[in-house]
Amino acid sequence: MSTDKGTLTEAEGTAAAAGNKATERFRESGKTAAVQSSKERVNQLASRLIKAVNDVVLEERVSYEEYNALKAWLIKVGEDGEWPLFLDVWVEHSVEEVANAHRKGNKGTIEGPYYVPGSPEHQSPATIDMREDEPGAPLLFQGQVTGTEGKALAGAKIEVWHADDLGFYSQFAPGLPEWNLRGSFIADAEGRFEINTKRPAPYQIPTDGACGQLIHAAGWHAWRPAHIHLKVSAPGHELLTAQLYFPGDPHNADDIASAVKPELMLDVQPAESGTGLQTTYNFVLDEEA
Ligand code: MBD
Ligand code: FE
């Protein structure tokens, strides 16, 4: 175990370090600036939430011991900075379902806690930023972005972020270059893109923080299947936030974050170049209302 904070390897990070970074990123995101709620709406939602908790207490005959365990745990979620992780793993999928039910084009899924805006921009075809000796199978990820009527969306932007071959995200685990496996790619005049990256590994949420404590105490597992996060955008079209998954991953059927959808499964083949893998996925963006 390294003692110098500056020389930790990616596997030596802590839940609290990753959680507090995610909390900081959320604060910087500007997302809270858009919050505008009437008294009626806050009353409705807060009353229902409080009633739901009280119903559990009464129906399950919750003891003082259990109540105090909950209190201690909630305090620890905050101390570890794990509110973004907790909410994105166990709640965001329902919010996403409501938000995107109207879409005729691509299905979306949750953003999760590890998006960072402003990744290095490249004109497609391009290679994502990675270390010289980046581990993992080379993956050529290509496709086309169109509108719902099939119109090619020239210059569409595909933002990509994903874990490395050990399952860690740059800017949330120590020791990784700032933009490792994060990039923004501009599609060509036909909306086509070609991105060279590495196949990500399955992701295990940190086990040494409050969320890990809950998972352990409840006898759950901490895994998300391997996935590539994306934000796809084009002028006049709704921004799509999605993730793509790899067939055969043991956690496709029991993602801890409930974010897998059959429409988001990749078709992965051996690369025509002879090294690594390739996959084609086409995005359909809804026109802005
Ligand atoms: C992730 O990588 C992720 O995508 C989600 C939703 C939660 C935790 C880690
Ligand atoms: Fe992720």
Side-chain angles (χ1 to χ4, degrees):
M1 185 78 172
S2 172
T3 48
D4 179 352
K5 266 191 144 191
T7 59
L8 290 181
T9 64
E10 57 187 306
E12 293 174 319
T14 61
N20 284 304
K21 274 185 197 150
T23 296
E24 202 178 303
R25 284 294 181 196
F26 177 70
R27 287 198 181 113
E28 292 165 359
S29 71
K31 283 172 182 164
T32 55
V35 175
Q36 273 197 23
S37 294
S38 65
K39 274 201 175 66
E40 292 71 23
R41 184 68 172 162
V42 175
N43 175 35
Q44 170 77 358
L45 298 185
S47 297
R48 285 203 61 183
L49 184 62
I50 290 167
K51 181 172 188 311
V53 173
N54 280 276
D55 285 348
V56 172
V57 171
L58 296 173
E59 287 165 23
E60 299 290 341
R61 315 301 300 160
V62 169
S63 68
Y64 259 105
E65 219 176 27
E66 290 167 329
Y67 173 66
N68 287 325
L70 173 67
K71 215 187 252 189
W73 183 78
L74 289 170
I75 291 166
K76 184 170 166 59
V77 175
E79 284 169 353
D80 290 348
E82 284 198 332
W83 279 115
L85 181 66
F86 173 79
L87 289 166
D88 294 353
V89 165
W90 283 295
V91 183
E92 189 188 356
H93 65 95
S94 294
V95 180
E96 190 277 330
E97 184 180 322
V98 172
N100 287 331
H102 67 282
R103 283 186 192 247
K104 295 186 178 66
N106 249 93
K107 288 267 186 228
T109 193
I110 65 174
E111 176 177 313
Y114 298 152
Y115 171 64
V116 183
S119 62
E121 196 167 293
H122 311 271
Q123 191 72 42
S124 170
T127 298
I128 203 166
D129 288 23
M130 63 173 83
R131 293 164 286 182
E132 229 162 80
D133 54 351
E134 189 67 40
L139 176 69
L140 168 61
F141 169 47
Q142 57 189 359
Q144 187 182 27
V145 186
T146 65
T148 58
E149 322 272 78
K151 190 182 122 187
L153 299 179
K157 180 159 124 178
I158 301 104
E159 281 184 84
V160 174
W161 72 103
H162 63 77
D164 68 11
D165 194 49
L166 293 176
F168 294 102
Y169 284 85
S170 60
Q171 301 192 36
F172 296 90
L176 292 168
E178 189 177 20
W179 296 105
N180 210 54
L181 304 176
R182 296 175 181 273
S184 303
F185 300 85
I186 308 300
D188 70 12
E190 275 91 54
R192 292 186 195 281
F193 63 88
E194 276 186 43
I195 301 165
N196 287 288
T197 186
K198 294 280 177 129
R199 187 195 211 282
Y203 176 83
Q204 185 177 32
I205 76 162
T207 52
D208 61 312
C211 291
Q213 197 178 53
L214 170 62
I215 288 165
H216 180 76
W220 301 338
H221 74 76
W223 291 94
R224 297 215 59 220
H227 57 280
I228 296 176
H229 291 270
L230 308 119
K231 283 183 184 281
V232 184
S233 57
H237 291 75
E238 284 187 43
L239 168 71
L240 173 73
T241 300
Q243 301 178 29
L244 297 172
Y245 302 94
F246 294 80
D249 190 293
H251 293 295
N252 282 336
D254 66 352
D255 177 12
I256 190 178
S258 309
V260 179
K261 303 179 186 185
E263 298 88 346
L264 299 174
M265 204 55 66
L266 290 166
D267 176 19
V268 182
Q269 301 294 336
E272 280 162 24
S273 69
T275 31
L277 306 164
Q278 72 178 47
T279 187
T280 301
Y281 191 90
N282 299 321
F283 295 99
V284 179
L285 299 188
D286 280 62
E287 288 71 24
E288 247 161 20

